[in-house]
Amino acid sequence: MTAPRLLAVSDLHVHHPDNRRFVEELRPGSDGDWLLVAGDVGELTTDIAWALRLLAGRFAKVVWAPGNHELWTPARDPVQLRGEERYQYLVELCRDLGVLTPEDPYPVWEGARGPVTVAPLFVLYDYTWRPEGATTKEESLATAYEAGIVCTDEVMLHPDPHPGLDAWCAARAELTEARLAARPPGLPTVLVNHYPLVREPTRILRYPEFAQWCGTERTARWHLDYDAAAVVYGHLHIPRLTHHDGVPFIEVSLGYPREWQPRPNPPALPRVIEV
């Protein structure tokens, strides 16, 4: 019998039929496999519920961290909640499905190398990963608009009741730091966030202006401060493994069909997290 594995995937974007088929075919290799889902399951609450219900019925445990697409409020979505209210709606949806969220107690994975705390995170971005020459959020956004590289979040992702996404990011970072600091001592962590916690993975973006929608300087030391054995993230649609301060950072995106289908050697997903 295959030993249980800790698996991870993100950016499933199940409104694309080919991606939906990928999810339909996604199955564990053993009864004990866990699946970490690092955001961007879909935009519509009906699609998110469909995918997470399917996966929760197959894997021993599913752990979800939200991406930006889940937090959008599309006009065609039957749930028209915005901002914090939408996030809390998704948390309750996950709980009904038996899926763990950033609001639940952190579970412990009993791996071959010993136990680790699995910490799903919800930390946004605050426009601090700015293009060269920009010293403020306003300058950074102006540079992006001038270049024509603007994230759809600026229209679809609402920070209510916060005055802006940077303010929501600050609130989430403060809350998350407190929770990570209060976790039971003695265990390494696997940090699961939609966005990379350090800026370096964004350096290869084709359009550097986009980095400002990819994270925050505030998380730059979290992999060190909170004893990370691995960091799992998505969002960039550039699946790969990098190391920062000796810690593996694993990007586990599926991405859009136009991105993954032309690759001669598409990455094997879900990715096994070796901890």
Side-chain angles (χ1 to χ4, degrees):
M1 180 176 292
T2 304
R5 301 169 302 167
L6 186 62
L7 305 171
V9 71
S10 75
D11 297 81
L12 294 170
H13 297 291
V14 299
H15 66 283
H16 293 282
D18 288 341
N19 286 28
R20 199 174 186 92
R21 281 191 289 272
F22 173 89
V23 173
E24 288 172 338
E25 296 171 3
L26 198 57
R27 285 177 169 78
S30 80
D31 291 341
D33 285 356
W34 288 20
L35 183 65
L36 313 178
V37 182
D40 278 9
V41 173
E43 293 83 38
L44 300 180
T45 51
T46 49
D47 283 344
I48 298 165
W50 171 82
L52 291 178
R53 179 179 292 109
L54 182 70
L55 297 173
R58 292 177 176 174
F59 289 84
K61 195 178 295 292
V62 174
V63 179
W64 170 78
N68 53 315
H69 282 236
E70 283 109 335
L71 299 172
W72 288 359
T73 307
R76 67 187 187 282
D77 196 316
V79 176
Q80 285 295 297
L81 298 173
R82 293 161 51 123
E84 286 270 17
E85 288 187 342
R86 185 173 180 86
Y87 172 60
Q88 291 300 329
Y89 173 88
L90 293 172
V91 167
E92 293 306 317
L93 170 65
C94 285
R95 286 173 172 168
D96 288 345
L97 298 175
V99 173
L100 294 180
T101 78
E103 307 310 306
D104 297 311
Y106 297 145
V108 174
W109 166 256
E110 298 287 349
R113 302 178 189 176
V116 297
T117 297
V118 176
L121 312 178
F122 171 34
V123 182
L124 287 153
Y125 51 82
D126 57 5
Y127 307 93
T128 52
W129 292 358
R130 298 168 184 147
E132 186 175 355
T135 59
T136 66
K137 169 187 172 181
E138 290 73 23
E139 290 178 359
S140 186
L141 283 170
T143 300
Y145 274 90
E146 184 177 350
I149 306 300
V150 180
C151 184
T152 307
D153 289 4
E154 293 298 308
V155 176
M156 298 287 287
L157 178 50
H158 306 286
D160 311 25
H162 304 278
L165 287 169
D166 46 351
W168 194 4
C169 176
R172 288 301 313 181
E174 182 176 355
L175 184 154
T176 304
E177 286 168 339
R179 287 204 61 201
L180 288 170
R183 75 193 189 282
L187 296 185
T189 62
V190 174
L191 303 179
V192 185
N193 193 49
H194 183 61
Y195 307 96
L197 298 180
V198 297
R199 185 171 183 178
E200 283 76 5
T202 71
R203 302 292 185 189
I204 65 170
L205 289 174
R206 180 177 300 176
Y207 303 107
E209 298 87 355
F210 192 77
Q212 63 192 293
W213 290 283
C214 296
T216 168
E217 293 291 346
R218 183 157 179 169
T219 61
R221 284 189 49 85
W222 283 15
H223 61 295
L224 298 174
D225 294 342
Y226 304 118
D227 306 313
V231 175
V232 173
Y233 69 99
H235 189 59
L236 304 185
H237 294 197
I238 309 173
R240 60 177 181 148
L241 169 66
T242 57
H243 289 80
H244 306 283
D245 302 303
V247 178
F249 278 62
I250 309 154
E251 212 277 16
V252 294
S253 297
L254 176 61
Y256 303 128
R258 68 174 185 269
E259 296 167 326
W260 61 263
Q261 287 178 341
R263 293 172 185 157
N265 296 299
L269 292 171
R271 182 74 177 264
V272 179
I273 308 303
E274 302 283 359
V275 290

